[in-house]
Amino acid sequence: MSSARDLDQLCKVDLYESTPGATLRGIAEDLGIVRGALRQWLETHGSGKKTAADGTLTDSPLWSAPRPSTVDPDESLEQRVARLEAENAQLRAETTKLTTEREILQKAAKYFGRGDALVSRFQFVADHSATYPVKRLCELVEIERSSYYAWQSGAPARAERAAHDAELLERIRVIHSEDDAQGVPRITAELNDGAALEDRVNHKRVARVMRAAGLAGFVKKRQHRTTVPEPADQAVPDLLGRDFTAEAPNQRYVGDITYLPLSEAGGGGNLYLATVIDCYSRRLLGWAITDHMRTDLVADALKAAAETRGSLAGAIFHSDHGPVYTSKAYAELCAQLGLTQSMGAVVSSADNAMAESFNATAKREVLRDAACFTDELTCRRKMFRWLTRYNTKRRHSWCRYQPPNTYERAYSDKLALAA
């Protein structure tokens, strides 16, 4: 199932229900979404409660509003009986439909705990196609019927590959049992030693088969602090030189980490926000909030930006010399995404002034005069609302007092007209 999408919808529903005096229209405008979509998510995920302006919890008007009467005062007894019978039949059909959907989804739950979610959906449809219509099954697990039938037609090829993999696994087990310190490279070399060209195996296939079987070479665990990653082997130059402009979107990005302090009553400590911002439109392309400052934090923000753009290949990403940005893991991720790294001087925050300014603005506008957030949940809620509104509603001076999304769309429209 689409867990990331459901989580996003739950966050928006929670924002409506937890904001004192919130209205459907106001929250929808703040988030830059259609009111009908928010209403639908409230019907699906809502609790039926909302926070009133005085902070008390009340019944949501979206749940308690009476339905308008559809009874015609002039209808005859026969017409009324016929209408009620039709409504009863419709309700029975709807009840049967919902019961069937619940049964299908209950059976599907165990499938989605497996490694490959998409393959699990295909397999679920195949296993239950004799009981339920394929069309309904595909709709409920959110896959295209054409994709399912294409997967089904490839079953013989998958079965043949599985048989070959099972045979290869037995050969690997023999080699691994003799020396369990051997990893993929050495086992691959052992398998290919003296083999004919057509019988040689690729190291990627060996790695896949070993990983599926839980086999690996012995690696001694090293003790180290996760907040101080191993530095990358190459020095990173400053490619921006404090010039935080770009001629078009998706050319230059800046990013940074800032702490979000929590009160002692709310558990104390900090949460940390990592950002990826486009220099052309000041649009926030990716962000992540966690309770640590490991490389995963900035990696998640950069991956979110790549997902939003579709590709970051050829762009520059500028940051400071924080340990997470200088780690080998982060350098490898930038290389995978086709990004060129850029870093300012170690002692000067002005070399990353654009990202620093964003962080200061975010905390100033969210915290106002408060020194910290009351607790983690409140922090996440408030930051989620502000970060979403920043792109869709907040007017930016750089963007000629338009929201970043609007400013960027104007560039796209200009290109379309020129074409």
Side-chain angles (χ1 to χ4, degrees):
M1 303 295 285
S2 304
S3 57
R5 184 181 65 184
D6 290 344
L7 181 59
D8 181 69
Q9 294 175 4
L10 285 169
C11 288
K12 293 171 180 175
V13 168
D14 179 74
L15 185 63
Y16 168 83
E17 293 183 343
S18 62
T19 302
T23 63
L24 192 69
R25 179 176 182 178
I27 293 296
E29 288 182 351
D30 281 350
L31 296 177
I33 59 177
V34 180
R35 274 184 288 172
L38 181 57
R39 181 185 293 274
Q40 183 178 358
W41 297 337
L42 283 166
E43 292 175 355
T44 304
H45 304 295
S47 64
K49 300 290 184 178
K50 73 178 301 295
T51 305
D54 60 358
T56 60
L57 199 62
T58 62
D59 291 333
S60 172
L62 299 177
W63 286 61
S64 58
R67 296 180 178 271
S69 177
T70 59
V71 178
D72 183 357
D74 296 328
E75 70 178 352
S76 65
L77 179 60
E78 292 78 6
Q79 290 174 329
R80 183 179 183 185
V81 170
R83 176 177 57 80
L84 292 175
E85 287 180 348
E87 290 178 358
N88 190 28
Q90 182 180 0
L91 289 174
R92 285 199 303 270
E94 184 67 21
T95 301
T96 302
K97 178 183 175 183
L98 293 175
T99 302
T100 303
E101 289 181 358
R102 184 174 66 250
E103 291 174 355
I104 293 173
L105 292 176
Q106 285 175 343
K107 293 177 181 179
K110 65 179 181 180
Y111 282 76
F112 301 141
R114 303 175 183 175
D116 192 325
L118 184 58
V119 171
S120 296
R121 297 184 202 186
F122 290 148
Q123 190 61 56
F124 172 76
V125 175
D127 292 346
H128 295 82
S129 58
T131 307
Y132 305 102
V134 170
K135 178 181 179 181
R136 193 70 189 125
L137 289 168
C138 290
E139 288 175 351
L140 287 176
V141 298
E142 298 181 356
I143 59 175
E144 297 291 336
R145 274 188 294 169
S146 59
S147 300
Y148 164 70
Y149 287 126
W151 173 85
Q152 194 176 42
S153 65
R158 289 195 302 274
E160 183 179 358
R161 188 178 72 167
H164 291 164
D165 285 350
E167 180 184 354
L168 177 60
L169 177 58
E170 290 306 313
R171 295 167 60 194
I172 291 174
R173 288 190 186 277
V174 172
I175 299 172
H176 191 264
S177 63
E178 295 175 355
D179 181 5
D180 62 2
Q182 296 184 98
V184 171
R186 292 169 62 190
I187 289 181
T188 303
E190 182 72 19
L191 291 167
N192 291 333
D193 185 24
L197 183 61
E198 62 272 14
D199 295 330
R200 295 176 65 85
V201 294
N202 185 276
H203 70 281
K204 294 181 180 179
R205 183 186 174 197
V206 174
R208 175 175 57 79
V209 172
M210 289 182 63
R211 183 168 56 250
L215 297 177
F218 175 77
V219 178
K220 182 177 175 61
K221 295 181 179 179
R222 290 190 290 179
Q223 301 294 326
H224 60 86
R225 291 186 296 164
T226 56
T227 54
V228 185
E230 187 179 4
D233 294 330
Q234 58 182 1
V236 178
D238 183 353
L239 301 178
L240 299 191
R242 302 187 182 180
D243 178 12
F244 304 108
T245 62
E247 296 180 356
N250 202 24
Q251 291 183 349
R252 290 180 167 188
Y253 294 92
V254 298
D256 196 12
I257 300 175
T258 189
Y259 70 94
L260 307 172
L262 306 177
S263 68
E264 291 297 327
N270 300 306
L271 294 179
Y272 300 93
L273 167 68
T275 55
V276 178
I277 308 167
D278 192 305
C279 289
Y280 173 79
S281 61
R282 273 38 178 184
R283 181 182 174 189
L284 181 64
L285 265 297
W287 57 274
I289 296 178
T290 64
D291 57 357
H292 62 75
M293 284 186 65
R294 296 190 290 273
T295 304
D296 289 345
L297 170 62
V298 292
D300 288 344
L302 195 57
K303 290 175 182 177
E307 183 177 357
T308 301
R309 280 292 188 217
S311 174
L312 300 178
I316 295 172
F317 180 78
H318 183 82
S319 67
D320 60 17
H321 278 263
V324 290
Y325 290 115
T326 57
S327 67
K328 282 187 177 180
Y330 195 73
E332 290 171 358
L333 176 60
C334 288
Q336 292 173 9
L337 297 175
L339 277 171
T340 300
Q341 283 187 276
S342 170
M343 291 184 183
V346 176
V347 296
S348 177
S349 61
D351 286 352
N352 200 23
M354 180 177 155
E356 297 279 357
S357 175
F358 177 90
N359 292 338
T361 300
K363 289 199 285 188
R364 181 179 67 251
E365 293 187 4
V366 175
L367 280 173
R368 304 298 173 92
D369 293 328
C372 57
F373 295 93
T374 55
D375 53 67
E376 180 176 340
L377 180 59
T378 300
C379 175
R380 290 183 180 275
R381 282 175 173 172
K382 289 186 175 181
M383 290 306 300
F384 174 83
R385 178 172 185 170
W386 190 89
L387 293 169
T388 304
R389 191 175 184 276
Y390 170 85
N391 279 337
T392 59
K393 301 293 291 184
R394 185 185 182 277
R395 297 181 182 274
H396 201 297
S397 58
W398 172 265
C399 302
R400 301 170 187 168
Y401 290 95
Q402 301 174 48
N405 281 3
T406 304
Y407 187 78
E408 203 169 272
R409 280 197 300 270
Y411 176 84
S412 301
D413 294 340
K414 182 179 178 181
L415 286 183
L417 289 174

